[in-house]
Amino acid sequence: MDMDENVRSVTAPALPPPEKQSRRTLRKRNPVVDKSALRFRPIPTSTSTSRSRSNNRGASEEDSNKQKQTGQTSHKNSSEREARVRELKNRAMSIPSTGKTPATVRQRMVMQMVYDEITPYPDEAWVSQLGIIINREYHQVKNWFSNQRQKDARDSRQQSPSLAATSALEASLCKINCDGREMRVRVSALDSCSAEAWTDAFFDEVVMIHNFRLLAKLSQDEARAALHDSNISTTDTTHAHSRLP
């Protein structure tokens, strides 16, 4: 009996206590990863932060450069327009004034078209363009629009004394942006084209076309009148010869 016990004690392996064994098997092991073997290596936090800061700095510099370029372009366009308006005004003022001589039929019809269909408040650029097209001095065109507004105000007060004349006129107008400045135009002027289409060049084109059509019509009327007069004189001459013995 004693020998058997000694043999068992020698051959049997020494087992750790149950508690220690369970702790070893449940312990979490952190795997060791060789970062050099990864295909996509993680970017360090400091590097990514510096890149984002540099990108933001570059975007802000680009925005500021764009704003500077936009400001320089608008300032350049404004300066060019002011120079062009001064040139137009000088040309319109250099037209010989007719004094108190009223405007011709054609000149009055063109100004009336602008007043009724475009605006009763043309600025110095549009007054200059209008004067050059119809060949009438700058101040004479400007005074015609002023007198026409006063005349309409008197007529409005006579028709409806309770209604202010200025409110009736303003109700027919709307504000638009034309080549960088604010203009008041007739609401009817926006029926055929948008507010963005109204520029100095477009105004000049509209007035020139209307003036050309009036010139053509007046020339035709004069030609017809001359032909009619010649026919009458020919008829009178024929009758006079027929009465001779």
Side-chain angles (χ1 to χ4, degrees):
M1 295 291 290
D2 295 336
M3 291 178 65
D4 294 337
E5 290 179 357
N6 291 332
V7 171
R8 291 176 182 175
S9 62
V10 173
T11 58
L15 298 174
E19 296 179 357
K20 293 182 179 180
Q21 184 178 5
S22 62
R23 289 178 182 174
R24 288 179 181 177
T25 55
L26 296 176
R27 184 182 298 171
K28 295 182 179 179
R29 296 181 180 179
N30 295 328
V32 179
V33 180
D34 186 7
K35 294 183 179 181
S36 62
L38 293 178
R39 184 177 180 183
F40 300 102
R41 298 182 182 180
I43 300 174
T45 307
S46 60
T47 306
S48 61
T49 305
S50 61
R51 287 184 180 179
S52 62
R53 289 177 179 174
S54 62
N55 292 335
N56 294 335
R57 192 181 303 111
S60 61
E61 290 177 357
E62 185 178 356
D63 293 339
S64 62
N65 291 333
K66 288 182 179 179
Q67 291 178 357
K68 289 180 181 179
Q69 292 177 357
T70 304
Q72 292 175 357
T73 303
S74 61
H75 180 70
K76 181 180 178 181
N77 293 338
S78 177
S79 301
E80 290 178 353
R81 183 185 176 278
E82 290 176 358
R84 183 169 54 83
V85 170
R86 285 195 299 268
E87 181 183 358
L88 289 172
K89 188 174 181 179
N90 291 333
R91 287 178 57 189
M93 293 179 66
S94 63
I95 297 174
S97 176
T98 57
K100 295 183 179 181
T101 304
T104 63
V105 175
R106 176 183 57 85
Q107 292 173 339
R108 188 171 62 254
M109 291 178 70
V110 174
M111 290 188 291
Q112 192 70 49
M113 183 276 295
V114 174
Y115 186 92
D116 294 337
E117 300 183 17
I118 301 178
T119 178
Y121 294 100
D123 63 352
E124 62 178 3
W126 286 12
V127 170
S128 301
Q129 291 175 260
L130 183 57
I132 293 171
I133 292 172
I134 65 176
N135 194 31
R136 192 162 179 83
E137 199 266 337
Y138 175 86
H139 293 96
Q140 289 183 312
V141 176
K142 186 176 180 180
N143 292 336
W144 184 91
F145 278 89
S146 177
N147 295 334
Q148 191 67 24
R149 289 194 297 268
Q150 295 176 6
K151 178 178 177 298
D152 287 352
R154 289 193 301 269
D155 295 342
S156 298
R157 283 193 296 267
Q158 292 177 0
Q159 293 177 2
S160 54
S162 60
L163 182 63
T166 54
S167 63
L169 180 60
E170 294 296 332
S172 65
L173 303 176
C174 62
K175 295 180 180 179
I176 64 169
N177 185 278
C178 178
D179 289 341
R181 88 275 194 190
E182 189 177 86
M183 292 286 293
R184 289 179 291 176
V185 300
R186 298 280 189 184
V187 177
S188 58
L190 304 180
D191 293 340
S192 57
C193 60
S194 61
E196 291 78 10
W198 280 103
T199 60
D200 292 344
F202 184 68
F203 174 81
D204 190 76
E205 182 179 355
V206 170
V207 176
M208 285 184 67
I209 291 174
H210 189 74
N211 182 64
F212 177 78
R213 289 176 177 175
L214 288 175
L215 281 172
K217 185 178 182 302
L218 292 174
S219 298
Q220 291 177 357
D221 293 342
E222 291 177 358
R224 290 172 183 173
L227 180 62
H228 181 71
D229 294 340
S230 64
N231 291 335
I232 292 176
S233 61
T234 303
T235 304
D236 293 341
T237 303
T238 304
H239 286 309
H241 285 295
S242 63
R243 291 174 184 174
L244 292 175

